[in-house]
Amino acid sequence: MSTQSARRIDIYDYVQPPTCISCGKLIVAGERAVSFYCPQCGVAVIWRCSKCRSQITSYTCPNCGFTGP
Ligand SMILES: [Zn+2]
Ligand SMILES: [Zn+2]
């Protein structure tokens, strides 16, 4: 078990399941969610659940702060 003493943003964190960037919901297996790299910095991976994707909810990149549809 890991501790939370040194929490940091890690884009290559395979332990944590992906969460929707817009609503924070966990992305479950089988869901038609999408993931893509931030169009501005190309570093952070943006996850969006099927609901936010269909509603075109805006997101904010955790790396560079880019906001987009
Ligand atoms: Zn969502
Ligand atoms: Zn970015």
Side-chain angles (χ1 to χ4, degrees):
M1 289 298 169
S2 61
T3 64
Q4 292 193 335
S5 57
R7 183 112 176 94
R8 63 188 178 91
I9 296 175
D10 189 349
I11 58 170
Y12 297 113
D13 191 353
Y14 291 111
V15 179
Q16 283 276 100
T19 53
C20 174
I21 198 83
S22 297
C23 69
K25 190 168 78 78
L26 276 175
I27 306 295
V28 294
E31 183 178 1
R32 287 206 300 265
V34 290
S35 69
F36 54 92
Y37 287 100
C38 170
Q40 179 163 280
C41 67
V43 174
V45 178
I46 311 291
W47 277 94
R48 299 176 86 192
C49 68
S50 55
K51 183 183 165 195
C52 290
R53 186 178 145 220
S54 62
Q55 294 181 347
I56 320 177
T57 310
S58 64
Y59 61 87
T60 302
C61 172
N63 184 59
C64 68
F66 173 77
T67 305

